[in-house]
């Protein structure tokens, strides 16, 4: 490290690395869309090093930084880690490459990379002891990996604050609370539950039901942290919303995300196991770290109906537009989607709701960043990850307007409602449980049952497939991933295939979390959509070096 004062620390960092967390894996890993993610058995040294990096980042930003240990919707034997920046955002992109460098360097070069980071960022305050907030999901591997992170923090001279098992969005919230000196909320689990449930109860009032809306929901906890934490919400909600919880198996049952959870329901377009099949009943699933939410129901003929992130986004954006108009306060509202958004949802938002829509590449950091450009920015991925963000000036405008006496009764009611609704939302990142409370608030306000919600527009049939390839980087894309640049000729082939299908749309992109190429297709009928997906997948397999057989359409 840079100077003599740091010699001792340097020795500690190095001794720990060599004795306890030697780099055991030869091949490189990279900090992807959601941090590092791989088999848990390969991650101890990476965790230790991310503990080191978190302290450097905290000293550089002079703020509290978060570290979350989770592999989200991945199978139970996987795990992962991501860093959370001061306002609860994802790690700034320019530091991702440092994370990758630090994770892949050999033990004897660790010190050099640390010195490079310090020098390049001119980090002077190496004796500061910044707080690093650490959280983990329910995976059996999480406790030992968390210990590795904490040892990294200690070795680098930081102060670990261990929140134990929490959802990813809870951890983002704690970081934001600490860095805003509690303006965002109390940095405790208790404070988090209270903030959300108090706001929910205030907006809901004494009439728990309204019109066709009934206040009961079936909830799939994916056998993960979302199941563990919903119990506290149930208490706080005190009957205003009745949540019947399923898929609540204990840690280490091997059932985390297995045949259940938001990712399973969305990608398989199937009802999960573990929930009773009650016709026309609103059901929802969260994923393994509770940052994604998906709704669905079975009709009287047992037909499955999915209400995914696009539906949630349109519901929320439409509602905010209505309420904002009622307040009489001028704030601009926009919606951010990715190429995975169903074409029908985009048409509905732009043509009927008349709300501007932006399209960005996959990954929360892109969506979040873009949404911040609006006074009120709603962002959602079709997979159910999303939230609403408000500019500080927008919040102030609402609060100031409420204080004045210039508003009509209706304007005042709408403004007060909006102010409370902001507190139901976790603005730091998509939060399955906060989103659930928001969706339930809107359905209640509208007096809608799940079918009325679904009637707003009709989804185009769509299909997701994946092709395993030797090297996923052979595919590169542009235009928010809607066009591929390499391998040469592939985009023309896709265009030719798509042209054969009315309202057909298809794009391909390398996954940021798995060694596969993802294929998306939509068309007017299920048959055409499946054919389109299979044809494009075949072409990708041929031109991008697919391994094994091209994928088949699941039943
Ligand atoms: C990660 C992203 C999620 C994205 C998904 C795509 C975050 C926090 N999470 O889970 O937003 O939809 O990756 O996965 O950014 P893929 O690249 O494998 O398709
Ligand atoms: Mg997740």
């Amino acid at each position: 490290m840079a100077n003599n004062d740091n010699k001792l620390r340097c020795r500690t960092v190095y001794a720990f690395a060599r004795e306890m967390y030697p780099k055991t894996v030869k091949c490189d890993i990279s900090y992807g869309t959601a941090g590092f993610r791989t088999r848990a058995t390969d991650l101890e040294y990476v965790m230790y090093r991310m503990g080191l990096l978190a302290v450097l980042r905290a000293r550089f930003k002079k703020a509290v930084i978060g570290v979350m240990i989770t592999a989200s919707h991945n199978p139970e034997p996987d795990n992962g880690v991501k860093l959370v920046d001061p306002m609860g955002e994802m790690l700034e992109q320019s530091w991702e490459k440092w994370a990758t460098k630090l994770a892949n360097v050999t033990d004897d070069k660790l010190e050099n990379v640390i010195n490079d980071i310090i020098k390049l960022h001119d980090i002077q305050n190496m004796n500061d002891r910044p707080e690093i907030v650490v959280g983990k999901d329910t995976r059996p591997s999480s406790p030992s990996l968390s210990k590795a992170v904490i040892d990294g923090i200690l070795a680098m001279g930081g102060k670990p604050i261990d929140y134990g098992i929490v959802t990813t969005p809870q951890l983002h919230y704690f970081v934001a609370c600490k860095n805003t000196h509690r303006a965002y909320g109390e940095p405790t689990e208790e404070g988090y539950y209270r903030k959300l449930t108090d706001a929910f109860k205030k907006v809901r009032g004494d009439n728990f039901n309204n019109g066709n809306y009934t206040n009961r929901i079936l909830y799939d906890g994916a056998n993960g942290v979302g199941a563990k934490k919903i119990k506290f919400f149930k208490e706080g909600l005190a009957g205003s919303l009745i949540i019947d919880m399923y898929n609540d198996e204990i840690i280490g049952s091997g059932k985390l995300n297995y045949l259940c959870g938001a990712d399973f329901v969305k990608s398989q377009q199937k009802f999960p196991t573990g929930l009773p099949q009650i016709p026309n009943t609103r059901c929802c699933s969260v994923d393994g770290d509770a940052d994604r939410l998906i709704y669905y129901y079975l009709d009287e003929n047992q037909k499955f109906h999915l209400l995914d992130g696009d539906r949630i986004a349109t519901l929320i954006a439409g509602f905010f537009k209505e309420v904002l108009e009622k307040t009489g306060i001028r704030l601009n509202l926009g919606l951010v989607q990715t190429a995975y958004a169903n074409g029908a949802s985009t048409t509905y938002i732009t043509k009927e709701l008349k709300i501007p829509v932006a399209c960005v590449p996959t990954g929360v950091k892109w969506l979040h960043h873009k949404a911040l450009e609006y006074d009120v920015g709603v962002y959602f991925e079709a997979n159910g990850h999303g939230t609403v963000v408000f500019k500080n000036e927008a919040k102030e405008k609402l609060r100031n307007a409420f204080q004045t006496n210039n508003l009509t009764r209706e304007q005042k009611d709408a403004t007060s409602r909006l102010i409370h609704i902001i507190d139901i939302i976790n603005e730091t990142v998509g939060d399955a449980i906060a989103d659930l409370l928001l969706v339930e608030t809107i359905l209640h306000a509208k007096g809608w049952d799940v079918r009325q919600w679904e009637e707003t527009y009709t989804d185009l049939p769509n299909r997701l497939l994946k092709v395993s390839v030797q090297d996923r980087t052979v595919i590169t894309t542009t235009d928010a991933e809607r066009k591929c640049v390499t391998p040469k000729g592939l985009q023309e082939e896709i265009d030719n295939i798509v042209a054969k299908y009315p309202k057909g749309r298809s794009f391909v992109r390398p996954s940021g979390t798995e060694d596969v190429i993802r294929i998306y297709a939509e068309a007017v009928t299920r048959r055409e959509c499946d054919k389109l997906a299979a044809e494009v997948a075949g072409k990708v397999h041929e031109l991008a070096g697919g391994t094994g057989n091209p994928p088949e359409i699941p039943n």
Side-chain angles (χ1 to χ4, degrees):
M1 283 174 216
N3 58 43
N4 286 341
D5 289 350
N6 291 319
K7 281 247 168 74
L8 191 66
R9 178 154 313 130
C10 178
R11 232 174 285 150
T12 321
V13 166
Y14 192 44
F16 257 107
R18 215 185 33 228
E19 297 302 320
M20 311 233 336
Y21 305 110
K23 183 171 186 293
T24 45
V25 180
K26 288 230 162 58
C27 59
D28 281 3
I29 103 169
S30 78
Y31 197 95
T33 350
F36 294 111
R37 208 176 278 183
T38 186
R39 278 186 309 273
T41 45
D42 292 344
L43 274 170
E44 278 215 339
Y45 70 94
V46 178
M47 294 288 169
Y48 172 72
R49 292 165 180 215
M50 287 309 103
L52 304 176
L53 187 69
V55 178
L56 294 174
R57 178 84 184 146
R59 287 196 183 116
F60 174 62
K61 297 296 285 185
K62 300 197 171 58
V64 177
I65 293 291
V67 183
M68 182 69 199
I69 297 145
T70 179
S72 182
H73 54 279
N74 284 32
E76 194 162 304
D78 285 2
N79 217 325
V81 57
K82 57 186 163 194
L83 262 57
V84 177
D85 258 0
M87 284 305 122
E89 334 84 294
M90 313 296 279
L91 175 67
E92 186 187 302
Q93 225 182 324
S94 65
W95 275 62
E96 288 182 5
K97 65 170 190 295
W98 288 111
T100 300
K101 239 185 203 165
L102 197 63
N104 293 321
V105 71
T106 51
D107 290 321
D108 57 328
K109 301 265 168 55
L110 198 52
E111 192 184 335
N112 299 356
V113 178
I114 292 170
N115 279 333
D116 288 349
I117 296 174
I118 294 171
K119 232 189 265 159
L120 209 100
H121 298 89
D122 194 22
I123 302 174
Q124 308 261 350
N125 48 338
M126 282 302 289
N127 289 324
D128 283 4
R129 207 172 159 231
E131 284 187 357
I132 309 295
V133 169
V134 184
K136 55 176 176 279
D137 70 13
T138 58
R139 282 159 215 272
S141 58
S142 289
S144 63
L145 294 179
S146 167
K147 181 172 182 300
V149 168
I150 289 172
D151 281 344
I153 296 168
L154 290 171
M156 192 48 101
K159 183 175 174 197
I161 311 284
D162 186 2
Y163 277 87
I165 295 175
V166 288
T167 69
T168 296
Q170 279 182 320
L171 188 97
H172 285 250
Y173 163 90
F174 299 142
V175 173
C177 290
K178 282 189 170 273
N179 286 313
T180 57
H181 307 289
R182 305 185 170 205
Y184 193 65
E186 279 297 308
T188 59
E189 274 203 56
E190 186 54 40
Y192 166 85
Y193 300 126
R194 213 176 320 109
K195 179 177 173 185
L196 270 60
T197 55
D198 281 358
F200 178 86
K201 286 186 289 189
K202 259 188 211 134
V203 180
R204 175 140 307 198
D206 297 333
N207 293 324
F208 296 166
N209 295 302
N210 180 31
N212 290 330
Y213 174 86
T214 51
N215 70 334
R216 179 180 291 273
I217 182 162
L218 309 189
Y219 174 94
D220 161 20
N223 298 313
V225 63
K228 211 173 148 61
K229 301 302 178 187
I230 200 73
K231 295 173 185 160
F232 299 101
F233 278 95
K234 285 174 68 159
E235 266 169 43
L237 291 167
S240 55
L241 176 66
I242 298 161
I243 302 172
D244 289 340
M245 206 235 321
Y246 299 92
N247 291 333
D248 170 28
E249 296 265 342
I250 51 151
I251 299 175
S253 62
K255 292 193 178 165
L256 176 67
N257 298 320
Y258 182 63
L259 304 179
C260 63
D263 193 62
F264 170 84
V265 173
K266 167 69 182 164
S267 53
Q268 303 293 315
Q269 307 193 14
K270 274 192 190 141
F271 198 82
T273 55
L275 265 69
Q277 305 194 352
I278 309 169
N280 300 321
T281 301
R282 224 163 53 249
C283 306
C284 71
S285 291
V286 304
D287 71 335
D289 61 340
D291 64 353
R292 289 192 196 177
L293 175 71
I294 292 288
Y295 273 78
Y296 49 91
Y297 72 97
L298 289 174
D299 65 19
E300 48 285 347
N301 302 316
Q302 297 282 299
K303 186 169 175 260
F304 174 75
H305 297 250
L306 181 69
L307 294 102
D308 62 6
D310 302 338
R311 287 271 172 198
I312 298 175
T314 51
L315 181 77
I316 295 175
F319 178 75
F320 271 103
K321 185 170 182 201
E322 269 171 43
V323 182
L324 273 171
E325 275 166 9
K326 282 191 192 145
T327 64
I329 300 163
R330 288 178 66 117
L331 291 175
N332 74 44
L333 167 74
L335 178 68
V336 187
Q337 299 187 311
T338 71
Y340 286 111
N342 196 282
S345 78
T346 315
T347 308
Y348 171 69
I349 302 155
T350 48
K351 300 263 159 66
E352 281 193 45
L353 297 180
K354 303 205 185 326
I355 295 169
V357 176
C359 183
V360 298
T362 303
V364 173
K365 60 186 175 212
W366 305 111
L367 289 124
H368 193 93
H369 194 70
K370 185 74 193 172
L372 288 171
E373 290 178 12
Y374 302 99
D375 293 333
V376 182
V378 181
Y379 72 82
F380 262 89
E381 292 187 298
N383 63 26
H385 186 114
T387 187
V388 189
V389 289
F390 301 83
K391 280 209 177 113
N392 280 336
E393 303 89 79
K395 288 193 225 181
E396 250 162 55
K397 220 170 166 180
L398 287 169
R399 287 191 194 115
N400 291 342
F402 186 72
Q403 303 296 336
T404 65
N405 289 323
N406 305 337
L407 300 182
T408 64
R409 181 82 250 152
E410 199 200 12
Q411 287 175 330
K412 196 147 189 146
D413 285 351
T415 310
S416 132
R417 200 170 197 216
L418 207 51
I419 291 170
H420 289 313
I421 286 178
I422 294 174
D423 276 345
I424 299 177
I425 296 164
N426 184 345
E427 288 183 69
T428 62
V429 79
D431 181 328
I433 301 178
D435 288 342
L436 179 155
L437 296 183
L438 180 60
V439 168
E440 294 296 317
T441 296
I442 299 173
L443 293 177
H444 173 263
K446 289 185 168 286
W448 280 357
D449 64 18
V450 69
R451 282 170 304 182
Q452 285 169 292
W453 177 14
E454 193 189 21
E455 275 160 14
T456 49
Y457 65 88
T458 308
D459 265 327
L460 286 167
N462 58 90
R463 179 68 70 193
L464 281 168
L465 290 178
K466 53 183 175 183
V467 172
S468 300
V469 285
Q470 226 130 50
D471 174 13
R472 63 180 144 141
T473 63
V474 298
I475 299 227
T476 55
T477 64
T478 180
D479 188 19
E481 306 181 317
R482 288 173 290 194
K483 292 257 171 296
C484 77
V485 179
T486 60
K488 235 173 151 252
L490 177 57
Q491 188 57 49
E492 286 74 36
E493 296 282 358
I494 295 175
D495 290 342
N496 292 339
I497 298 170
V498 169
K500 297 189 292 187
Y501 296 86
K503 284 204 184 174
R505 188 168 72 88
S506 179
F507 66 90
V508 305
R509 56 174 278 276
S511 157
T513 61
E514 276 182 72
D515 272 327
V516 297
I517 305 297
R518 297 207 193 281
I519 287 99
Y520 175 86
E522 65 184 30
V524 173
T525 65
R526 160 70 38 218
R527 232 177 82 86
E528 285 175 337
C529 162
D530 286 350
K531 262 184 81 186
L532 172 57
E535 269 194 68
V536 172
K539 226 2 125 190
V540 168
H541 192 272
E542 183 190 325
L543 297 183
T547 55
N549 294 325
E552 288 184 10
I553 305 287
N555 288 321

